[in-house]
């Protein structure tokens, strides 16, 4: 099949006065990954999860089936389309979806986008190409699973494998466009906030109006945001009981209720290692506080909303249910998200804007404060882990027993009525379980956990359970290597489950990249960790940390080798890894959401500092791309950096970091 | 009340004089490139230039900014993009992009004071501009690039 030049594509396109539309099919497993949330029917086959439109002037429009939060999915899918059609990248335009333009599609979560959406989009583009070459005159094409030749997924193409900056970068650096929900401006718009239940403003300053909302809450409206942001809210302070997150207490209550591996491990002989690890609450702290704009039409019978959300269809369904509307009477526009990290998976600010706009009879913009982000948002739950392991004389793991307890991640109280919370307590929370099965072989393995309902809302946070579980597992493995007198990298290679050859390749690559076998600089510790994310993405990280005499730790260098399969855009893949590495650094060195009296006690970035530029170490990344491997996720894999850093601290100080964040005086 | 933004004079209702400049820029003038991140001067997303100095527009009242030269991200480019904006594209800095207007405004002010900053100077000048996505390494490279220095 000959390549189709831009000129010929244009010539083809000109034959179609109204253009051609291709409907992409939903990926095979298009279920809602938040089972706690209302299910939506996911038609397969002809589900119009994305549209590809060839315009008469030869440009191609891609209606994205995904949300953009800086992970680079827009540019990556454009590259796929351009590759299939063999046209210049700038002839492909990506459009964020609104709920009237595409069929319901699952949330943009879980590092699923590349794994699940490159192929449907590639198929749509390839169908268009073959259609044009066939001389057919049809103007509407549907992916019905017919055979089609894909060019973009074999790697090393004209566009696939090339680095490109994120979509809309020119608008980002000039500030000239409406990109985020808060940038949306409408004639006659008001600004509002919904008062938390039982909370009154200290005083009603000039320009503020108190209104009753349809759900029984009350809100404040203003014709300018200034007075609204000056309002001080006296939030409830009555103590609530925070259950102790303690694995020993959980185990003392009986067997942990959820089992991931259930081998019988002998408790008769001594353990080589028996360690407990503790991880605190953590906040998303995205730079964009939640924002939404709502406008009612046709006498309050039709609702239009602009928001940055990881799931526009969930927003639509929630609002439709709340206001007793049919789904088609609610239109949700997707805006670029100023940092997602799992935080934009529930519906809060959209409902608030709609309630306020209903009460005002005018469009309303809601802009959460930073304090609201901390106090009214939801957070990564704390967890407590105990790992017991036994080695044989050859340094192989014979027994592995990891028990842990955590607050909920997926079955979050932030998005569920109380009765549903009670029901889901009998089901394994897959978010808590994520990453809990180690990639190592052991003769006997027991992995079990318990989840606890907490008074502070918890939910998905970058990597879900994989960050905490990876920290516990890779800390234990590192100490086992030390107890066996083995090099930590060699120990991992020797104990890896043989089926994980791709992780082995990452370990070997990061060994070479980091100069693992070279002497460590004086005053510095070097540590390593590795892991597999969702059985499809692999990473190994080496950290060098300088620890001062007072115990103060500075991460000086991070190396990461990552295999996320086929690389569509190496620049954006590296960016995701850089972000993961910095999140790992933050988890180790500073991040702990303060809780007092069973409530979040953080209101500003002074209460919850996040890493600043001076904390950023040198970073080197190697991308591994096995021939024929499908693209997989990248946004959460390298969170294993956490344990690489704590293992480096242990190497430097001789003391293990068992509680996060690291404190100069609290090591084991 | 009149304020001068990006070289143009704008009439602002007097009752806005106590409101933070940020909200007047965004909602009265429609200059939404300047972002709200915390409202406490702790994140840098709202950074603008006031008489050439980088300031947090959430901490400056509109009245206090009157009579002074205010430059926002929208006013940085002339016929072509500012060299710092060009460097941001060349180094593919942004992920989500939300903090980047503030980062760029701080970087421009840094380079005006210190045309060839080393990494320590960059870290010191930029430590008040938070980025949650993890673009700091690229920001450093972009500042070096804009300074016309060889890439470290």
């Amino acid at each position: 099949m000959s390549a189709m030049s831009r000129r010929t594509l244009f010539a083809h396109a000109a034959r179609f006065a109204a253009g051609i539309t291709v409907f992409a099919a939903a990926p095979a497993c298009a279920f809602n990954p938040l089972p706690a949330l209302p299910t939506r029917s996911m038609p397969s086959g002809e589900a119009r999860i994305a549209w590809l439109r060839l315009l008469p002037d030869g440009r191609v429009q891609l209606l994205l089936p995904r949300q953009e939060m800086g992970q680079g999915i827009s540019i990556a899918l454009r590259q796929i389309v351009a590759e299939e059609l063999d046209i210049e990248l700038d002839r492909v335009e990506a459009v964020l979806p609104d709920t009237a333009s595409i069929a319901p599609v699952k949330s943009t979560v879980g590092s699923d986008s590349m794994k699940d959406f490159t192929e449907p989009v590639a198929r749509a583009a390839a169908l268009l190409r073959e259609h044009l070459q066939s001389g057919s005159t049809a103007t509407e094409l549907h992916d019905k699973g017919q055979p089609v030749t894909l060019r973009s997924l074999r790697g090393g193409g004209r566009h696939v494998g090339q680095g490109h900056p994120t979509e809309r970068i020119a608008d980002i650096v000039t500030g000239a466009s409406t990109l985020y929900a808060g940038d949306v401006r409408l004639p006659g718009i008001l600004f509002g906030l919904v008062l938390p239940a039982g909370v009154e403003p200290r005083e009603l300053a000039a320009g503020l109006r108190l209104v009753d909302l349809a759900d029984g809450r009350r809100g404040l409206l203003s014709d300018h945001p200034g007075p609204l942001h000056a309002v001080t809210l006296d939030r409830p302070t009555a103590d609530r009981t925070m259950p102790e997150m303690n694995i020993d207490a959980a185990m003392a209550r009986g067997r942990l209720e959820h089992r991931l591996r259930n081998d019988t491990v002998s408790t008769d002989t001594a353990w080589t290692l028996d360690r407990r690890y503790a991880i605190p609450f953590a906040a998303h702290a995205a730079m964009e506080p939640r924002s939404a704009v709502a406008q009612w039409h046709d006498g309050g019978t039709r609702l239009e909303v602009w928001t940055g959300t990881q799931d526009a269809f969930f927003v639509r369904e929630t609002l439709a249910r709340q206001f007793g509307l049919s789904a088609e009477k609610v239109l949700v526009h997707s805006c670029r998200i100023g940092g997602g990290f799992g935080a934009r998976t529930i519906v809060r600010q959209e409902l608030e804007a709609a309630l306020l706009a209903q009460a005002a009879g005018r469009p309303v913009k809601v802009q959460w404060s930073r304090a609201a982000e901390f106090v009214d948002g939801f957070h990564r739950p704390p967890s407590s882990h105990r790992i017991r392991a036994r080695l044989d004389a050859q340094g192989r793991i014979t027994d592995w027993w990891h028990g842990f307890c955590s607050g909920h991640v997926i079955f979050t109280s932030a998005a569920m009525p109380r009765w549903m919370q009670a029901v889901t307590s009998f089901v394994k929370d897959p978010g808590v379980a994520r990453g809990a099965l180690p990639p190592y072989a052991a003769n006997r393995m027991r992995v079990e956990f318990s989840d606890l309902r907490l008074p502070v809302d918890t939910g998905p946070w970058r990597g879900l359970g994989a960050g905490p579980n990876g920290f516990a597992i890779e800390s234990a493995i590192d100490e086992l290597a030390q107890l066996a007198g083995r090099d930590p990298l060699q120990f991992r290679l020797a104990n890896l489950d043989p089926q994980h050859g791709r992780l082995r390749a990452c370990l070997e690559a990061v060994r070479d990249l980091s100069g693992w076998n070279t002497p460590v600089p004086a005053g510095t510790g070097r540590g390593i960790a590795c892991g597999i994310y969702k059985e499809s993405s692999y990473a190994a990280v080496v950290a060098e940390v300088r620890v001062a005499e007072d115990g103060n730790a500075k991460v000086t260098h991070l190396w990461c080798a990552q295999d996320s399969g086929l690389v569509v855009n190496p620049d954006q893949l590296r960016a995701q890894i850089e972000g993961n590495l910095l999140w790992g650094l933050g988890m180790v060195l500073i991040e702990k959401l303060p809780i007092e009296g069973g409530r979040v006690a953080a209101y500003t970035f002074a209460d919850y500092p996040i890493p600043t530029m001076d904390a950023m170490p040198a970073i080197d990344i190697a991308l591994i791309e096995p021939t024929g491997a499908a693209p997989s996720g990248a946004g959460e894999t390298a969170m294993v950096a956490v344990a690489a850093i704590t293992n480096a601290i242990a190497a430097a100080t001789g003391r293990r970091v068992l509680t996060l964040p690291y404190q100069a005086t609290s090591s084991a | 009340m009149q304020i001068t933004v990006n070289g143009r004079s704008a009439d602002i209702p007097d009752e806005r004089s106590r409101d933070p400049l940020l909200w007047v820029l965004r909602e009265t003038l429609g200059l939404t490139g300047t972002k709200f991140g915390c409202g406490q001067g702790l994140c840098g997303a709202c950074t603008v230039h006031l008489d050439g100095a980088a300031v947090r527009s959430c901490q400056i009242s509109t009245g206090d900014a009157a009579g002074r030269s205010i430059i926002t991200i929208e006013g940085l480019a002339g016929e072509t993009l500012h060299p710092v904006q060009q460097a941001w594209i060349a180094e593919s800095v942004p992920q989500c992009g939300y903090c980047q207007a503030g980062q760029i405004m701080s970087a421009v002010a840094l380079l005006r004071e210190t045309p060839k900053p080393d990494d320590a100077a960059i870290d010191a000048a930029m430590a008040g501009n938070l980025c949650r996505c993890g673009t700091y390494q690229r920001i450093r490279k972009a500042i070096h690039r804009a300074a016309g220095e060889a890439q470290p």
Side-chain angles (χ1 to χ4, degrees), chain A residues 212-227:
Chain A
D212 293 320
L213 304 176
D215 70 348
R217 289 187 285 176
R218 300 212 291 171
L220 291 176
L221 288 170
S222 171
D223 62 1
H224 194 269

Side-chain angles (χ1 to χ4, degrees), chain A residues 232-303:
Chain A
T232 305
L233 298 177
D234 292 318
R235 293 170 176 280
T237 54
D239 280 358
R240 301 188 294 201
T241 304
M242 178 67 76
E244 188 189 11
M245 197 57 72
N246 180 319
I247 185 60
D248 292 321
M251 285 180 150
R253 288 193 288 270
R255 274 208 73 172
L256 304 179
E257 63 266 32
H258 306 305
R259 318 272 159 73
L260 298 169
R261 286 290 298 272
N262 202 17
D263 297 345
T264 302
V265 291
S266 159
T267 51
D268 295 341
T269 42
W271 296 100
T272 309
L273 177 84
D274 181 359
R275 281 294 199 196
R276 294 165 184 81
Y277 305 93
I279 294 125
F281 276 100
H284 301 93
M287 295 315 300
E288 178 196 27
R290 289 165 176 83
S291 181
V293 171
Q295 180 171 30
W296 288 88
H297 303 279
D298 306 339
T301 59
R302 195 162 62 79
L303 175 61

Side-chain angles (χ1 to χ4, degrees), chain A residues 32 36 164 241 248 344 566 632:
Chain A
N32 191 330
H164 291 282
T241 304
D248 292 321
R344 301 298 184 86
L566 174 75
S632 59

Side-chain angles (χ1 to χ4, degrees), chain A residues 68-80:
Chain A
E68 180 65 59
M69 58 197 97
Q71 83 279 40
I73 191 64
S74 312
I75 184 68
L77 292 180
R78 273 177 64 204
Q79 288 173 252
I80 292 284

Side-chain angles (χ1 to χ4, degrees), chain A residues 631-649:
Chain A
S632 59
E636 305 164 278
T637 313
M639 289 296 289
V640 292
V642 172
I645 296 167
T646 54
N647 291 337
I649 292 173

